[in-house]
Amino acid sequence: MDELNGFDHVILAIGTHNMDLFMSVENSNVVSSWDILNGQEVSGKCVVLGGGLVGAETAEYLASKGLEVSIVEMMDKIAAQESETVLPLMEADFKEHNVQKFVNTRVSEIKDNVIYVVNTKDETNVDNKYLFQYLKALGSKRNVFDDSKLTVPFTYVGDCSGERTADIASAIRTGYKAANEI
C-alpha cells in the first residue's frame, strides 16, 4: 500500500472473477469459460450455462472447434448485451455450427454429468441433457480491493468499476475517462 500511496493518483483495474454455481453439482465435469478461453482443452458435447456475453462467446469458440455445443440461459435471449452489429454474425455462427439454445431455462442440478433443467416461465421440467463437459459462464463479480488505506486519489476502471463486467467497450470507456480526469 505504501508504494501506491507514493503516486499522485491510482487507477485500479483489478478485474472480476467467476460467479459461483448456485445449484448442486455432484460427480460432474465442470469447467470455467475463462479457463476455456485461456486454452484449457475440452472434448465431446459441451453445455454452456449462461448465455451472456462470455457464455455466448465461449459457445461460439467451442463450436468453431467442431464441438457439439448447447447454451442454457435463464433469460429470454442469448447475448442480450451484444451490439446490434456483432449479434447477427454470432447468430449466423450459431446456425452454421448447430448450436442449440435453451432460453427461459434454469439448471436445478448437475449430477453424474446429467444436467437437470426447468423452464422458467412455467416451472415445468425439460428433457434432461447428458453431458460430457459442462461449462459455467454465469457472469462475473467485481474483485474487491481494500482501498481504505489509500491516501491518494484513486479511480476504479474496467470490470471492477461497477459499470459493466466482461464488456471491453465499458473497460476502455472507464479507463479513458479516468485518465482524462487526472
Side-chain angles (χ1 to χ4, degrees), residues 90-104:
M90 183 178 277
E91 288 291 343
D93 258 0
F94 288 161
K95 185 174 182 177
E96 178 184 340
H97 294 102
N98 298 313
V99 172
Q100 292 186 38
K101 298 178 285 184
F102 298 92
V103 295
N104 298 314

Side-chain angles (χ1 to χ4, degrees), residues 11 15 55 57 81 102 113 117 120 176:
I11 294 178
E57 290 168 1
Q81 296 175 326
F102 298 92
N113 290 329
V117 295
T120 58
Y176 179 80

Side-chain angles (χ1 to χ4, degrees), residues 78-148:
I78 303 292
Q81 296 175 326
E82 189 60 80
S83 74
E84 292 301 318
T85 55
V86 174
L87 189 58
L89 300 172
M90 183 178 277
E91 288 291 343
D93 258 0
F94 288 161
K95 185 174 182 177
E96 178 184 340
H97 294 102
N98 298 313
V99 172
Q100 292 186 38
K101 298 178 285 184
F102 298 92
V103 295
N104 298 314
T105 304
R106 176 179 50 83
V107 176
S108 58
E109 178 182 25
I110 302 171
K111 185 175 181 178
D112 300 321
N113 290 329
V114 177
I115 187 168
Y116 298 90
V117 295
V118 174
N119 178 290
T120 58
K121 285 197 173 197
D122 59 13
E123 296 298 314
T124 57
N125 288 326
V126 181
D127 291 339
N128 297 326
K129 297 289 176 189
Y130 290 86
L131 312 179
F132 297 118
Q133 293 285 332
Y134 163 77
L135 308 164
K136 67 174 183 172
L138 300 176
S140 50
K141 289 175 69 173
R142 95 182 237 191
N143 288 333
V144 177
F145 176 78
D146 181 6
D147 57 29
S148 65

Side-chain angles (χ1 to χ4, degrees), residues 46-90:
C46 298
V47 173
V48 178
L49 173 57
L53 295 175
V54 173
E57 290 168 1
T58 302
E60 188 175 28
Y61 171 75
L62 292 170
S64 74
K65 294 176 108 6
L67 300 176
E68 186 178 327
V69 180
S70 299
I71 304 172
V72 175
E73 169 59 43
M74 287 178 52
M75 305 306 282
D76 61 354
K77 185 176 180 184
I78 303 292
Q81 296 175 326
E82 189 60 80
S83 74
E84 292 301 318
T85 55
V86 174
L87 189 58
L89 300 172
M90 183 178 277

Side-chain angles (χ1 to χ4, degrees), residues 32-44:
S32 161
S33 287
W34 296 108
D35 291 337
I36 299 303
L37 296 173
N38 280 324
Q40 182 172 335
E41 294 291 324
V42 294
S43 59

